[in-house]
């Protein structure tokens, strides 16, 4: 078997080194206890994740997060890491954040040393430090890894752009920033504000201004007629998978972000004698009976995959994922809903527009988990749109009266 990494000096050849049996014992116990045993046996025989685990075992070093960080980022690497966390072999960490330094090292493999020497402290001392502080106090789960990677990627793109023009950080002037933004084909380049804030604080650049992202009206809204038709399909079409029906209905009704949708657990459901509620914040929302029943089914459904759990297992997700102990990923949920004709962005925007027309912004922010400023913008948009609609209806009624001037 080919080694995954170059062998360190003094390390025994592949096949000779072995972990201490005690390190993998929790995994062996979890597999032996998995009811029923056949899925676990099939997983051991066929899964590419077990092949990676066996290859790591053949190399011999003690298991650690640092060992896994040396591997190229992949789905199998993430699965094996979470499997070892779930069985208590590795300590749990905020994987969304802590895997980013490993991702960066692979990104820097073909980058100039000067760029790497800026990107590493920018990520570790600025972006990650702030992200860890926010994660420690955040009320709702939020995946920050994509945003942080984008900010680092934009910084690397900007450094390459500077090299093409023969610019050093100390040479940057406002006209260069304006040229960078002017060449944008999307809003992505505006993210350079984070890198420049860091370089300015380190006195690597002078004070520079990145303009605010131009304000845009919500795009791709599902109109109410289509939204209600799609909601009716989610509530009544038995041909759709239960998780698609429930996830689609929640998106269409409450405009919940996919991140929060994926992190729902049975603890968010409150069933009474007559009514059921979904607890999204300080304001529980009433569930239609059919949606309540779908969510009850998800809460009570048996787990088809082997449950390789620790002595104190984590949450039971309404929308479990492929990785042990984790919910379905936001990307996976979005793709699943899209495949069944529920376009997440348009469905969510349509729901938010309807909610914003009826709810004060603080309640809208609480229910949906959005920032209060974002909620204010949605309310302003919805009420202006509603006022324009009423004015158009009044004008249409006036012009249609007998004797009116055409």
């Amino acid at each position: 078997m080919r080694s995954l990494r170059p062998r360190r000096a003094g390390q025994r050849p592949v096949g000779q080194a072995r972990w201490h049996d005690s390190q993998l014992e929790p995994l062996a116990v979890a597999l032996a206890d998995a009811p029923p045993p056949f899925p676990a046996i099939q997983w051991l025989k066929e899964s590419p994740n077990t092949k990676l685990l066996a290859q790591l075992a053949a190399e011999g070093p003690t298991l650690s997060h640092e060992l896994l960080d040396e591997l190229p980022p992949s789905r199998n690497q993430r699965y094996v890491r979470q499997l070892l966390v779930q069985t208590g072999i590795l300590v749990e960490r905020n994987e969304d954040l802590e895997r980013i330094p490993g991702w960066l090292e692979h990104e820097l493999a073909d980058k100039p040393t000067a760029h790497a020497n800026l990107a590493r402290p920018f990520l570790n001392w600025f972006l990650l430090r702030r992200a860890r502080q926010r994660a420690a106090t955040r009320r709702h789960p939020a995946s920050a890894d994509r945003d942080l990677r984008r900010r680092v990627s934009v910084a690397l793109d900007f450094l390459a752009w500077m090299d093409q023009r023969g610019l050093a950080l100390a040479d940057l002037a406002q006209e260069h920033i304006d040229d960078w933004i002017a060449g944008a084909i999307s809003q992505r380049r505006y993210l350079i504000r984070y890198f420049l804030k860091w370089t300015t604080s380190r006195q690597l650049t002078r004070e520079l201004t990145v303009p605010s992202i131009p304000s845009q009206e919500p795009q791709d809204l599902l109109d109410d007629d289509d939204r209600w038709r799609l909601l009716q399909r989610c509530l009544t079409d038995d041909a759709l998978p239960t998780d698609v029906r429930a996830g689609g209905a929640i998106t269409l009704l409450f405009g919940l972000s996919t991140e929060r949708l994926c992190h729902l657990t049975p603890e968010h459901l409150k069933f009474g004698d007559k009514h059921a509620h979904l607890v999204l914040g300080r304001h529980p929302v009433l569930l239609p009976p059919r949606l309540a029943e779908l969510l009850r089914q998800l809460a009570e459904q048996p787990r088809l995959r082997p449950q390789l759990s620790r002595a104190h297992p984590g949450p039971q997700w309404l929308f479990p994922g492929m990785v042990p102990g984790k919910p379905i990923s936001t990307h996976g949920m979005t793709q699943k809903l899209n495949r069944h004709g529920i376009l997440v962005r348009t469905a969510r925007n349509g729901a938010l527009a309807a909610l914003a027309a009826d709810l004060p912004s603080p309640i809208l922010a609480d229910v949906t988990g959005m920032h209060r400023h974002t909620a204010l913008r949605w309310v302003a948009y919805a009420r202006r749109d509603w006022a324009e609609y009423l004015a158009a209806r009044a004008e249409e009624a006036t012009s249609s009266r007998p004797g009116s001037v055409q």
Side-chain angles (χ1 to χ4, degrees), residues 64-98:
S64 66
H65 282 297
E66 292 71 25
L67 175 68
L68 293 172
D69 287 341
E70 295 179 16
L71 302 177
S74 70
R75 181 181 303 173
N76 295 334
Q77 178 229 36
R78 291 193 294 272
Y79 185 99
V80 167
R81 187 195 301 275
Q82 186 57 29
L83 173 66
L84 298 175
V85 169
Q86 186 72 5
T87 52
I89 296 172
L90 296 182
V91 298
E92 190 164 12
R93 67 179 190 176
N94 188 330
E95 199 55 38
D96 283 342
L97 298 181
E98 302 309 328

Side-chain angles (χ1 to χ4, degrees), residues 149-159 180 188-193 195:
R149 281 199 289 260
R150 287 178 66 199
R151 293 169 192 179
V152 174
S153 296
V154 168
L156 291 171
D157 290 346
F158 182 68
L159 291 171
W180 164 261
R188 190 171 183 269
R189 286 196 173 192
Y190 287 87
L191 295 176
I192 197 59
R193 69 174 69 253
F195 181 65

Side-chain angles (χ1 to χ4, degrees), residues 73-266:
S74 70
R75 181 181 303 173
N76 295 334
Q77 178 229 36
R78 291 193 294 272
Y79 185 99
V80 167
R81 187 195 301 275
Q82 186 57 29
L83 173 66
L84 298 175
V85 169
Q86 186 72 5
T87 52
I89 296 172
L90 296 182
V91 298
E92 190 164 12
R93 67 179 190 176
N94 188 330
E95 199 55 38
D96 283 342
L97 298 181
E98 302 309 328
R99 69 185 177 193
I100 300 179
W103 163 83
L104 177 60
E105 291 308 311
H106 289 279
E107 287 292 302
L108 295 177
D110 60 348
K111 299 294 190 296
T113 301
H115 295 189
N117 290 341
L118 288 167
R120 288 191 185 100
F122 170 55
L123 171 65
N124 291 299
W125 301 347
F126 183 68
L127 294 179
L128 276 180
R129 184 167 61 87
R130 297 171 64 194
R132 289 182 181 119
Q133 291 170 349
R134 286 195 298 269
T137 59
R138 189 180 291 275
R139 192 167 55 125
H140 302 299
S143 177
D145 57 325
R146 183 181 65 176
D147 290 340
L148 296 190
R149 281 199 289 260
R150 287 178 66 199
R151 293 169 192 179
V152 174
S153 296
V154 168
L156 291 171
D157 290 346
F158 182 68
L159 291 171
W161 180 86
M162 288 174 53
D163 284 353
Q164 293 173 0
R165 287 155 180 78
L167 293 171
L169 284 174
D171 301 330
L172 282 178
Q174 188 61 47
E175 63 188 58
H176 300 128
I177 306 304
D178 296 340
D179 288 346
W180 164 261
I181 295 297
I185 57 175
S186 70
Q187 296 181 349
R188 190 171 183 269
R189 286 196 173 192
Y190 287 87
L191 295 176
I192 197 59
R193 69 174 69 253
Y194 297 96
F195 181 65
L196 293 178
K197 182 177 181 179
W198 175 74
T199 58
T200 301
S201 70
R202 299 292 306 276
Q203 299 183 344
L204 300 174
T205 55
R206 69 193 73 181
E207 193 77 38
L208 298 165
T209 300
V210 178
S212 300
I213 297 176
S215 179
Q216 293 183 330
E217 297 289 357
Q219 302 293 318
D220 303 323
L221 272 73
L222 192 66
D223 68 51
D224 269 354
D225 290 341
D226 290 337
R227 187 167 66 93
W228 289 117
R229 275 195 294 269
L230 197 53
L231 176 61
Q232 183 72 8
R233 179 177 170 230
C234 288
L235 296 178
T236 61
D237 188 352
D238 292 334
L240 290 175
T242 303
D243 58 343
V244 170
R245 296 173 64 189
I250 290 174
T251 303
L252 289 159
L253 272 175
F254 308 122
L256 212 61
S257 70
T258 312
E259 183 72 32
R260 289 191 70 196
L261 174 66
C262 294
H263 281 84
L264 291 177
T265 71

Side-chain angles (χ1 to χ4, degrees), residues 139-140 254 256 260 263-271 276-287 295 366-367:
R139 192 167 55 125
H140 302 299
F254 308 122
L256 212 61
R260 289 191 70 196
H263 281 84
L264 291 177
T265 71
E267 299 299 316
H268 291 95
L269 302 176
K270 300 299 179 186
F271 293 100
H277 291 81
L278 181 62
V279 183
L280 298 175
R282 292 183 298 272
H283 302 85
V285 293
L286 182 65
L287 291 171
L295 292 171
D366 180 58
V367 168

